[in-house]
Amino acid sequence: MTIKPRAVAPATWGEAMPAGTASRVLNLRESADGLSLEVMGLPRELGTVPAASRLLHVLPSGSLLASYGRQLLLDGRPVYTLAAGVAALHAFAVGDLVVVATTGGTLLLADDGEGGLATLDPADAVPSLAIGERAVTGATAPLDAYTFAEPYSRWQTVDAADAVAIAAATRKAWRAATAAVTAVGHRHGAVAARVALRLQDDTYLWVSRPVTLSDTAAANAARETVRDVTHNETSFTGVEDARLTVDAFVPTVTAAGGVAPRWRAMVKAVDLLVSLDEVDLADVEGDVALRCVTSTSSGTRTYSLVASLAPRPAEAVAARLAVSAMRVVATCADLESLAEWTPVTAGNVYAVAALDAVSLDHLSRPLVDAMCHNGCYCALGTDGSLTLSPPANAPVAAATRRVTGVEPLALLPVTRPLFWGGAGRYFAFVFTRDGIYAVSQSAAGTLGEPRLVSRTVIDGTVHPVEGERGVYFVTAGGELRLLAGQTMRALLRGVPSGASLAPVDATGELWVAADDGAVTVVMPGGRTAERDLSVRHFLCRAGRALAVTTDDKVLDTADERPADAVPVEWTSHPVALGDEVTITRVASVQWSVNSRGRAAALRLSLEARRALAGDWVEVAVVGVDGTIDESVVAPVMMVPQRVVRLRVTGTAPSSTLLLPSQFIIHNS
């Protein structure tokens, strides 16, 4: 009988296991062909963290960022103290920043130039600016002389025909004058203006609320055009020529202070945006009021005709400016003083909705969870709001979506987008008390409506992780499951609350650390083994899983190093021999072990029982102390044997192979 050594196969109903399946495995993993077990190496040690602290992030320099209570520690040195009642959740490198997600919001940290980290307060990035208007040379347009259709004997009113002609001429002159102002890039009507802080990737970190510039426009609208009346001793015959004047202005920005020094490396420029729509406060399409004026000065009587355009309703002006797109008209790269502004002739145009969406509020929103997704910062608020930043630009919210009506528990963006039910491409899962929601993402980067894909509720104390084979999570009932494509299958039962998961892509394994520190390795085929490590928690980032042990060491699970004496144990499930009628026993056992030229110290034993239940008795033992690369045959004691099992204990160098063993059976 050939016994192929295997790892532990989870039993659902206590069913019998195939010969060779283990009841306990320590520090051994199955080979790809399933014919042998291989001794694991030891994870590389990266450093240590302060006692009882929680590892949050490993900087490119190798420094370790950890949390202890309210303190954030960099290589053991305090760098920031969180507010009372606020806890750190995760930390990521996003662009040049270290982003710390906390229950009180998002914290931004940057290199302070001295080997440490400094806090970046988004409020410091916003300069103190005031938007105004500066008067410039306006324009005039001619009003030709006009002869009344019929002379008037009195100067009191203007007939309808003459009023229509004079009003048309006034409108024409107004249009000509305002067109002349616009042609040289100046303004004459009311406009909305904003200033915006543009980062290096040309996204806006902050945009001011719109300011309406209307002082000059109000003066233009209130202006009356006065025309002298031609007359003789008996009648009034017409009006003389004149010029209609329109004042002009340009928007200005006055700065009381520049961008804070720590933000200047991230900020590219400050832009001035002005609405595309320029609204006259005078309604050029409305009525033109004409007033006949008679005045006396120093005994001389004069006659004039005063024309004025009807005012445009303030509500109409506000409504039009509120929806007008805005164009960049000037920019300033002098971030220290914001004094030198450069005009922009064909600046970018932005919709009002896009500008209104720019806000720093998402950085102060309390969080349930956050992750880094393909260089983008993705945060889940306590209100179910999901915020996604542009690549390498954590302070900016590029896309938002909300999972409404549920209590969020965890967020997991996936590196490899999943396709579910033919309904689209899903980039993230939101785990809630109501079930699992998938959030789609369009090619343009916008987030779609969350879709419920499963009513399964996770254990909120065990964070889901993404591995090479799919998404791993633990249900509220303690069952470890794998979500891959449109399938979901159970891998392990009895996972305790407070456990920590870590996918190891290098081997395709999933490591599970219980709250007591015990580590179980789930192999690609679903079988399991134990590791002689005691782990407090894992840190999983971009396919890399780090383990923090109970003695505060940080280990890289994917970087196994050779070791000379790894503790190993393999105990097989009982193997039944024959039936109750036939007397069957193992006459000898042949072990096959290959230590690959290095010394091992192993004890190979065969144990037997007279019945299905009872005490185990050793009936064959082989001791290995040195190099072994061939089969070893051991005789077996002649005692009654109903069931037998194989055991391997001791230490062996990493990569040692435990190969199939042979039973020589004796029947009588």
PDB file of all heavy atoms in Angstrom, residues 129-163:
ATOM      1  N   LEU A 129      -7.374  84.903  -0.405  1.00  0.00           N
ATOM      2  CA  LEU A 129      -7.535  85.657  -1.649  1.00  0.00           C
ATOM      3  C   LEU A 129      -8.848  86.420  -1.641  1.00  0.00           C
ATOM      4  O   LEU A 129      -9.822  86.002  -1.022  1.00  0.00           O
ATOM      5  CB  LEU A 129      -7.516  84.714  -2.856  1.00  0.00           C
ATOM      6  CG  LEU A 129      -6.250  83.884  -3.064  1.00  0.00           C
ATOM      7  CD1 LEU A 129      -6.483  82.847  -4.149  1.00  0.00           C
ATOM      8  CD2 LEU A 129      -5.086  84.771  -3.442  1.00  0.00           C
ATOM      9  N   ALA A 130      -8.862  87.540  -2.356  1.00  0.00           N
ATOM     10  CA  ALA A 130     -10.087  88.313  -2.562  1.00  0.00           C
ATOM     11  C   ALA A 130     -10.214  88.605  -4.049  1.00  0.00           C
ATOM     12  O   ALA A 130      -9.248  89.028  -4.700  1.00  0.00           O
ATOM     13  CB  ALA A 130     -10.044  89.606  -1.760  1.00  0.00           C
ATOM     14  N   ILE A 131     -11.399  88.354  -4.595  1.00  0.00           N
ATOM     15  CA  ILE A 131     -11.662  88.593  -6.015  1.00  0.00           C
ATOM     16  C   ILE A 131     -12.383  89.929  -6.153  1.00  0.00           C
ATOM     17  O   ILE A 131     -13.347  90.207  -5.426  1.00  0.00           O
ATOM     18  CB  ILE A 131     -12.514  87.461  -6.609  1.00  0.00           C
ATOM     19  CG1 ILE A 131     -11.848  86.104  -6.377  1.00  0.00           C
ATOM     20  CG2 ILE A 131     -12.739  87.675  -8.099  1.00  0.00           C
ATOM     21  CD1 ILE A 131     -12.696  84.916  -6.796  1.00  0.00           C
ATOM     22  N   GLY A 132     -11.926  90.745  -7.070  1.00  0.00           N
ATOM     23  CA  GLY A 132     -12.554  92.039  -7.300  1.00  0.00           C
ATOM     24  C   GLY A 132     -12.519  92.412  -8.764  1.00  0.00           C
ATOM     25  O   GLY A 132     -12.270  91.577  -9.643  1.00  0.00           O
ATOM     26  N   GLU A 133     -12.759  93.701  -9.056  1.00  0.00           N
ATOM     27  CA  GLU A 133     -12.722  94.163 -10.438  1.00  0.00           C
ATOM     28  C   GLU A 133     -11.962  95.484 -10.507  1.00  0.00           C
ATOM     29  O   GLU A 133     -12.021  96.307  -9.591  1.00  0.00           O
ATOM     30  CB  GLU A 133     -14.129  94.314 -11.009  1.00  0.00           C
ATOM     31  CG  GLU A 133     -15.112  95.102 -10.145  1.00  0.00           C
ATOM     32  CD  GLU A 133     -16.510  95.101 -10.731  1.00  0.00           C
ATOM     33  OE1 GLU A 133     -16.731  95.800 -11.735  1.00  0.00           O
ATOM     34  OE2 GLU A 133     -17.373  94.376 -10.190  1.00  0.00           O
ATOM     35  N   ARG A 134     -11.248  95.637 -11.589  1.00  0.00           N
ATOM     36  CA  ARG A 134     -10.472  96.860 -11.826  1.00  0.00           C
ATOM     37  C   ARG A 134     -10.966  97.522 -13.103  1.00  0.00           C
ATOM     38  O   ARG A 134     -11.069  96.881 -14.150  1.00  0.00           O
ATOM     39  CB  ARG A 134      -8.976  96.521 -11.946  1.00  0.00           C
ATOM     40  CG  ARG A 134      -8.086  97.706 -12.287  1.00  0.00           C
ATOM     41  CD  ARG A 134      -6.620  97.322 -12.186  1.00  0.00           C
ATOM     42  NE  ARG A 134      -6.290  96.177 -13.030  1.00  0.00           N
ATOM     43  CZ  ARG A 134      -5.937  96.288 -14.322  1.00  0.00           C
ATOM     44  NH1 ARG A 134      -5.927  97.472 -14.920  1.00  0.00           N
ATOM     45  NH2 ARG A 134      -5.620  95.203 -15.019  1.00  0.00           N
ATOM     46  N   ALA A 135     -11.282  98.808 -12.994  1.00  0.00           N
ATOM     47  CA  ALA A 135     -11.819  99.539 -14.140  1.00  0.00           C
ATOM     48  C   ALA A 135     -10.753  99.719 -15.213  1.00  0.00           C
ATOM     49  O   ALA A 135      -9.586 100.023 -14.925  1.00  0.00           O
ATOM     50  CB  ALA A 135     -12.350 100.898 -13.694  1.00  0.00           C
ATOM     51  N   VAL A 136     -11.143  99.525 -16.455  1.00  0.00           N
ATOM     52  CA  VAL A 136     -10.281  99.771 -17.614  1.00  0.00           C
ATOM     53  C   VAL A 136     -11.074 100.611 -18.615  1.00  0.00           C
ATOM     54  O   VAL A 136     -12.259 100.884 -18.425  1.00  0.00           O
ATOM     55  CB  VAL A 136      -9.820  98.444 -18.256  1.00  0.00           C
ATOM     56  CG1 VAL A 136      -8.918  97.660 -17.323  1.00  0.00           C
ATOM     57  CG2 VAL A 136     -11.034  97.600 -18.663  1.00  0.00           C
ATOM     58  N   THR A 137     -10.396 101.018 -19.667  1.00  0.00           N
ATOM     59  CA  THR A 137     -11.048 101.862 -20.668  1.00  0.00           C
ATOM     60  C   THR A 137     -12.213 101.129 -21.306  1.00  0.00           C
ATOM     61  O   THR A 137     -12.083  99.980 -21.751  1.00  0.00           O
ATOM     62  CB  THR A 137     -10.047 102.276 -21.748  1.00  0.00           C
ATOM     63  OG1 THR A 137      -8.948 102.944 -21.121  1.00  0.00           O
ATOM     64  CG2 THR A 137     -10.703 103.208 -22.768  1.00  0.00           C
ATOM     65  N   GLY A 138     -13.361 101.799 -21.336  1.00  0.00           N
ATOM     66  CA  GLY A 138     -14.539 101.202 -21.930  1.00  0.00           C
ATOM     67  C   GLY A 138     -14.628 101.471 -23.421  1.00  0.00           C
ATOM     68  O   GLY A 138     -13.609 101.626 -24.110  1.00  0.00           O
ATOM     69  N   ALA A 139     -15.834 101.559 -23.936  1.00  0.00           N
ATOM     70  CA  ALA A 139     -16.041 101.770 -25.369  1.00  0.00           C
ATOM     71  C   ALA A 139     -17.282 102.632 -25.571  1.00  0.00           C
ATOM     72  O   ALA A 139     -18.154 102.719 -24.694  1.00  0.00           O
ATOM     73  CB  ALA A 139     -16.198 100.439 -26.094  1.00  0.00           C
ATOM     74  N   THR A 140     -17.325 103.292 -26.729  1.00  0.00           N
ATOM     75  CA  THR A 140     -18.504 104.080 -27.099  1.00  0.00           C
ATOM     76  C   THR A 140     -18.967 103.654 -28.478  1.00  0.00           C
ATOM     77  O   THR A 140     -18.204 103.074 -29.260  1.00  0.00           O
ATOM     78  CB  THR A 140     -18.194 105.580 -27.108  1.00  0.00           C
ATOM     79  OG1 THR A 140     -17.182 105.842 -28.102  1.00  0.00           O
ATOM     80  CG2 THR A 140     -17.705 106.060 -25.741  1.00  0.00           C
ATOM     81  N   ALA A 141     -20.216 103.978 -28.770  1.00  0.00           N
ATOM     82  CA  ALA A 141     -20.782 103.689 -30.089  1.00  0.00           C
ATOM     83  C   ALA A 141     -21.645 104.876 -30.505  1.00  0.00           C
ATOM     84  O   ALA A 141     -22.288 105.526 -29.664  1.00  0.00           O
ATOM     85  CB  ALA A 141     -21.613 102.416 -30.048  1.00  0.00           C
ATOM     86  N   PRO A 142     -21.670 105.221 -31.804  1.00  0.00           N
ATOM     87  CA  PRO A 142     -22.393 106.414 -32.248  1.00  0.00           C
ATOM     88  C   PRO A 142     -23.899 106.193 -32.286  1.00  0.00           C
ATOM     89  O   PRO A 142     -24.391 105.110 -32.563  1.00  0.00           O
ATOM     90  CB  PRO A 142     -21.849 106.641 -33.654  1.00  0.00           C
ATOM     91  CG  PRO A 142     -21.455 105.271 -34.123  1.00  0.00           C
ATOM     92  CD  PRO A 142     -20.968 104.551 -32.896  1.00  0.00           C
ATOM     93  N   LEU A 143     -24.601 107.303 -32.009  1.00  0.00           N
ATOM     94  CA  LEU A 143     -26.044 107.376 -32.185  1.00  0.00           C
ATOM     95  C   LEU A 143     -26.300 108.474 -33.217  1.00  0.00           C
ATOM     96  O   LEU A 143     -26.045 109.661 -32.955  1.00  0.00           O
ATOM     97  CB  LEU A 143     -26.745 107.716 -30.868  1.00  0.00           C
ATOM     98  CG  LEU A 143     -26.790 106.608 -29.805  1.00  0.00           C
ATOM     99  CD1 LEU A 143     -27.143 107.203 -28.451  1.00  0.00           C
ATOM    100  CD2 LEU A 143     -27.800 105.551 -30.207  1.00  0.00           C
ATOM    101  N   ASP A 144     -26.716 108.116 -34.386  1.00  0.00           N
ATOM    102  CA  ASP A 144     -26.914 109.090 -35.462  1.00  0.00           C
ATOM    103  C   ASP A 144     -28.092 110.009 -35.150  1.00  0.00           C
ATOM    104  O   ASP A 144     -29.037 109.641 -34.429  1.00  0.00           O
ATOM    105  CB  ASP A 144     -27.165 108.377 -36.789  1.00  0.00           C
ATOM    106  CG  ASP A 144     -25.947 107.584 -37.249  1.00  0.00           C
ATOM    107  OD1 ASP A 144     -24.828 107.949 -36.844  1.00  0.00           O
ATOM    108  OD2 ASP A 144     -26.121 106.573 -37.973  1.00  0.00           O
ATOM    109  N   ALA A 145     -28.012 111.215 -35.717  1.00  0.00           N
ATOM    110  CA  ALA A 145     -29.120 112.172 -35.575  1.00  0.00           C
ATOM    111  C   ALA A 145     -30.383 111.573 -36.191  1.00  0.00           C
ATOM    112  O   ALA A 145     -30.336 110.804 -37.156  1.00  0.00           O
ATOM    113  CB  ALA A 145     -28.761 113.494 -36.240  1.00  0.00           C
ATOM    114  N   TYR A 146     -31.496 111.985 -35.610  1.00  0.00           N
ATOM    115  CA  TYR A 146     -32.772 111.425 -36.066  1.00  0.00           C
ATOM    116  C   TYR A 146     -33.788 112.553 -36.207  1.00  0.00           C
ATOM    117  O   TYR A 146     -33.899 113.431 -35.333  1.00  0.00           O
ATOM    118  CB  TYR A 146     -33.281 110.380 -35.072  1.00  0.00           C
ATOM    119  CG  TYR A 146     -34.646 109.842 -35.399  1.00  0.00           C
ATOM    120  CD1 TYR A 146     -34.824 108.923 -36.424  1.00  0.00           C
ATOM    121  CD2 TYR A 146     -35.773 110.295 -34.696  1.00  0.00           C
ATOM    122  CE1 TYR A 146     -36.094 108.440 -36.722  1.00  0.00           C
ATOM    123  CE2 TYR A 146     -37.035 109.805 -34.989  1.00  0.00           C
ATOM    124  CZ  TYR A 146     -37.184 108.876 -36.014  1.00  0.00           C
ATOM    125  OH  TYR A 146     -38.449 108.412 -36.311  1.00  0.00           O
ATOM    126  N   THR A 147     -34.538 112.504 -37.311  1.00  0.00           N
ATOM    127  CA  THR A 147     -35.598 113.484 -37.563  1.00  0.00           C
ATOM    128  C   THR A 147     -36.941 112.827 -37.317  1.00  0.00           C
ATOM    129  O   THR A 147     -37.218 111.736 -37.833  1.00  0.00           O
ATOM    130  CB  THR A 147     -35.526 114.004 -39.006  1.00  0.00           C
ATOM    131  OG1 THR A 147     -34.238 114.592 -39.217  1.00  0.00           O
ATOM    132  CG2 THR A 147     -36.610 115.034 -39.263  1.00  0.00           C
ATOM    133  N   PHE A 148     -37.761 113.515 -36.513  1.00  0.00           N
ATOM    134  CA  PHE A 148     -39.073 112.954 -36.202  1.00  0.00           C
ATOM    135  C   PHE A 148     -39.916 112.834 -37.461  1.00  0.00           C
ATOM    136  O   PHE A 148     -39.779 113.612 -38.413  1.00  0.00           O
ATOM    137  CB  PHE A 148     -39.809 113.836 -35.192  1.00  0.00           C
ATOM    138  CG  PHE A 148     -39.113 113.951 -33.863  1.00  0.00           C
ATOM    139  CD1 PHE A 148     -39.027 115.187 -33.207  1.00  0.00           C
ATOM    140  CD2 PHE A 148     -38.556 112.838 -33.256  1.00  0.00           C
ATOM    141  CE1 PHE A 148     -38.401 115.295 -31.983  1.00  0.00           C
ATOM    142  CE2 PHE A 148     -37.913 112.942 -32.032  1.00  0.00           C
ATOM    143  CZ  PHE A 148     -37.830 114.166 -31.387  1.00  0.00           C
ATOM    144  N   ALA A 149     -40.776 111.859 -37.450  1.00  0.00           N
ATOM    145  CA  ALA A 149     -41.672 111.669 -38.605  1.00  0.00           C
ATOM    146  C   ALA A 149     -42.534 112.907 -38.821  1.00  0.00           C
ATOM    147  O   ALA A 149     -42.771 113.340 -39.955  1.00  0.00           O
ATOM    148  CB  ALA A 149     -42.544 110.436 -38.392  1.00  0.00           C
ATOM    149  N   GLU A 150     -42.993 113.474 -37.736  1.00  0.00           N
ATOM    150  CA  GLU A 150     -43.764 114.713 -37.778  1.00  0.00           C
ATOM    151  C   GLU A 150     -43.257 115.613 -36.660  1.00  0.00           C
ATOM    152  O   GLU A 150     -43.035 115.151 -35.538  1.00  0.00           O
ATOM    153  CB  GLU A 150     -45.268 114.444 -37.589  1.00  0.00           C
ATOM    154  CG  GLU A 150     -45.915 113.639 -38.694  1.00  0.00           C
ATOM    155  CD  GLU A 150     -46.002 114.415 -39.989  1.00  0.00           C
ATOM    156  OE1 GLU A 150     -45.925 115.667 -39.923  1.00  0.00           O
ATOM    157  OE2 GLU A 150     -46.138 113.772 -41.049  1.00  0.00           O
ATOM    158  N   PRO A 151     -43.037 116.924 -36.952  1.00  0.00           N
ATOM    159  CA  PRO A 151     -42.570 117.834 -35.892  1.00  0.00           C
ATOM    160  C   PRO A 151     -43.595 117.901 -34.759  1.00  0.00           C
ATOM    161  O   PRO A 151     -44.797 117.703 -34.961  1.00  0.00           O
ATOM    162  CB  PRO A 151     -42.438 119.189 -36.607  1.00  0.00           C
ATOM    163  CG  PRO A 151     -42.338 118.855 -38.043  1.00  0.00           C
ATOM    164  CD  PRO A 151     -43.160 117.622 -38.261  1.00  0.00           C
ATOM    165  N   TYR A 152     -43.080 118.144 -33.525  1.00  0.00           N
ATOM    166  CA  TYR A 152     -43.947 118.278 -32.364  1.00  0.00           C
ATOM    167  C   TYR A 152     -44.072 119.757 -32.001  1.00  0.00           C
ATOM    168  O   TYR A 152     -43.090 120.508 -32.028  1.00  0.00           O
ATOM    169  CB  TYR A 152     -43.377 117.522 -31.148  1.00  0.00           C
ATOM    170  CG  TYR A 152     -43.187 116.048 -31.383  1.00  0.00           C
ATOM    171  CD1 TYR A 152     -41.923 115.471 -31.275  1.00  0.00           C
ATOM    172  CD2 TYR A 152     -44.263 115.238 -31.689  1.00  0.00           C
ATOM    173  CE1 TYR A 152     -41.745 114.123 -31.472  1.00  0.00           C
ATOM    174  CE2 TYR A 152     -44.095 113.883 -31.900  1.00  0.00           C
ATOM    175  CZ  TYR A 152     -42.837 113.322 -31.787  1.00  0.00           C
ATOM    176  OH  TYR A 152     -42.651 111.996 -31.995  1.00  0.00           O
ATOM    177  N   SER A 153     -45.279 120.135 -31.673  1.00  0.00           N
ATOM    178  CA  SER A 153     -45.481 121.518 -31.244  1.00  0.00           C
ATOM    179  C   SER A 153     -45.150 121.685 -29.764  1.00  0.00           C
ATOM    180  O   SER A 153     -44.841 122.784 -29.304  1.00  0.00           O
ATOM    181  CB  SER A 153     -46.931 121.949 -31.507  1.00  0.00           C
ATOM    182  OG  SER A 153     -47.826 121.102 -30.795  1.00  0.00           O
ATOM    183  N   ARG A 154     -45.204 120.571 -29.034  1.00  0.00           N
ATOM    184  CA  ARG A 154     -44.849 120.584 -27.618  1.00  0.00           C
ATOM    185  C   ARG A 154     -43.824 119.472 -27.350  1.00  0.00           C
ATOM    186  O   ARG A 154     -43.861 118.412 -27.978  1.00  0.00           O
ATOM    187  CB  ARG A 154     -46.085 120.354 -26.743  1.00  0.00           C
ATOM    188  CG  ARG A 154     -47.077 121.501 -26.768  1.00  0.00           C
ATOM    189  CD  ARG A 154     -48.205 121.183 -25.826  1.00  0.00           C
ATOM    190  NE  ARG A 154     -49.179 122.264 -25.748  1.00  0.00           N
ATOM    191  CZ  ARG A 154     -50.240 122.261 -24.937  1.00  0.00           C
ATOM    192  NH1 ARG A 154     -50.444 121.210 -24.162  1.00  0.00           N
ATOM    193  NH2 ARG A 154     -51.074 123.279 -24.934  1.00  0.00           N
ATOM    194  N   TRP A 155     -42.961 119.724 -26.364  1.00  0.00           N
ATOM    195  CA  TRP A 155     -41.981 118.690 -26.009  1.00  0.00           C
ATOM    196  C   TRP A 155     -42.435 118.008 -24.719  1.00  0.00           C
ATOM    197  O   TRP A 155     -42.042 118.352 -23.608  1.00  0.00           O
ATOM    198  CB  TRP A 155     -40.601 119.321 -25.841  1.00  0.00           C
ATOM    199  CG  TRP A 155     -39.509 118.298 -25.631  1.00  0.00           C
ATOM    200  CD1 TRP A 155     -38.661 118.238 -24.598  1.00  0.00           C
ATOM    201  CD2 TRP A 155     -39.188 117.205 -26.478  1.00  0.00           C
ATOM    202  NE1 TRP A 155     -37.814 117.183 -24.730  1.00  0.00           N
ATOM    203  CE2 TRP A 155     -38.131 116.512 -25.906  1.00  0.00           C
ATOM    204  CE3 TRP A 155     -39.718 116.759 -27.709  1.00  0.00           C
ATOM    205  CZ2 TRP A 155     -37.560 115.397 -26.493  1.00  0.00           C
ATOM    206  CZ3 TRP A 155     -39.148 115.648 -28.281  1.00  0.00           C
ATOM    207  CH2 TRP A 155     -38.084 114.961 -27.676  1.00  0.00           C
ATOM    208  N   GLN A 156     -43.305 117.010 -24.941  1.00  0.00           N
ATOM    209  CA  GLN A 156     -43.868 116.288 -23.796  1.00  0.00           C
ATOM    210  C   GLN A 156     -43.750 114.774 -23.957  1.00  0.00           C
ATOM    211  O   GLN A 156     -43.327 114.080 -23.035  1.00  0.00           O
ATOM    212  CB  GLN A 156     -45.344 116.668 -23.614  1.00  0.00           C
ATOM    213  CG  GLN A 156     -45.540 118.105 -23.172  1.00  0.00           C
ATOM    214  CD  GLN A 156     -46.993 118.435 -22.989  1.00  0.00           C
ATOM    215  OE1 GLN A 156     -47.866 117.771 -23.545  1.00  0.00           O
ATOM    216  NE2 GLN A 156     -47.281 119.473 -22.211  1.00  0.00           N
ATOM    217  N   THR A 157     -44.098 114.272 -25.094  1.00  0.00           N
ATOM    218  CA  THR A 157     -44.015 112.828 -25.364  1.00  0.00           C
ATOM    219  C   THR A 157     -43.513 112.615 -26.779  1.00  0.00           C
ATOM    220  O   THR A 157     -43.509 113.542 -27.599  1.00  0.00           O
ATOM    221  CB  THR A 157     -45.389 112.153 -25.206  1.00  0.00           C
ATOM    222  OG1 THR A 157     -46.305 112.752 -26.122  1.00  0.00           O
ATOM    223  CG2 THR A 157     -45.904 112.288 -23.770  1.00  0.00           C
ATOM    224  N   VAL A 158     -43.113 111.352 -27.019  1.00  0.00           N
ATOM    225  CA  VAL A 158     -42.643 110.956 -28.349  1.00  0.00           C
ATOM    226  C   VAL A 158     -43.638 109.971 -28.921  1.00  0.00           C
ATOM    227  O   VAL A 158     -44.056 109.023 -28.238  1.00  0.00           O
ATOM    228  CB  VAL A 158     -41.230 110.337 -28.276  1.00  0.00           C
ATOM    229  CG1 VAL A 158     -40.763 109.898 -29.660  1.00  0.00           C
ATOM    230  CG2 VAL A 158     -40.255 111.317 -27.662  1.00  0.00           C
ATOM    231  N   ASP A 159     -44.005 110.197 -30.179  1.00  0.00           N
ATOM    232  CA  ASP A 159     -44.954 109.296 -30.824  1.00  0.00           C
ATOM    233  C   ASP A 159     -44.388 107.888 -30.922  1.00  0.00           C
ATOM    234  O   ASP A 159     -43.165 107.676 -30.882  1.00  0.00           O
ATOM    235  CB  ASP A 159     -45.317 109.808 -32.217  1.00  0.00           C
ATOM    236  CG  ASP A 159     -46.158 111.073 -32.143  1.00  0.00           C
ATOM    237  OD1 ASP A 159     -46.677 111.358 -31.053  1.00  0.00           O
ATOM    238  OD2 ASP A 159     -46.255 111.748 -33.170  1.00  0.00           O
ATOM    239  N   ALA A 160     -45.266 106.902 -31.090  1.00  0.00           N
ATOM    240  CA  ALA A 160     -44.874 105.488 -31.105  1.00  0.00           C
ATOM    241  C   ALA A 160     -43.872 105.186 -32.202  1.00  0.00           C
ATOM    242  O   ALA A 160     -42.879 104.463 -31.997  1.00  0.00           O
ATOM    243  CB  ALA A 160     -46.117 104.622 -31.258  1.00  0.00           C
ATOM    244  N   ALA A 161     -44.080 105.728 -33.417  1.00  0.00           N
ATOM    245  CA  ALA A 161     -43.174 105.425 -34.526  1.00  0.00           C
ATOM    246  C   ALA A 161     -41.782 105.935 -34.235  1.00  0.00           C
ATOM    247  O   ALA A 161     -40.772 105.263 -34.494  1.00  0.00           O
ATOM    248  CB  ALA A 161     -43.715 106.027 -35.818  1.00  0.00           C
ATOM    249  N   ASP A 162     -41.698 107.180 -33.698  1.00  0.00           N
ATOM    250  CA  ASP A 162     -40.391 107.734 -33.364  1.00  0.00           C
ATOM    251  C   ASP A 162     -39.744 106.962 -32.204  1.00  0.00           C
ATOM    252  O   ASP A 162     -38.538 106.732 -32.182  1.00  0.00           O
ATOM    253  CB  ASP A 162     -40.540 109.211 -32.999  1.00  0.00           C
ATOM    254  CG  ASP A 162     -40.971 110.055 -34.186  1.00  0.00           C
ATOM    255  OD1 ASP A 162     -40.579 109.693 -35.320  1.00  0.00           O
ATOM    256  OD2 ASP A 162     -41.682 111.044 -33.975  1.00  0.00           O
ATOM    257  N   ALA A 163     -40.565 106.549 -31.247  1.00  0.00           N
ATOM    258  CA  ALA A 163     -40.032 105.797 -30.096  1.00  0.00           C
ATOM    259  C   ALA A 163     -39.416 104.476 -30.539  1.00  0.00           C
ATOM    260  O   ALA A 163     -38.358 104.065 -30.054  1.00  0.00           O
ATOM    261  CB  ALA A 163     -41.138 105.551 -29.073  1.00  0.00           C
TER     262      ALA A 163
END
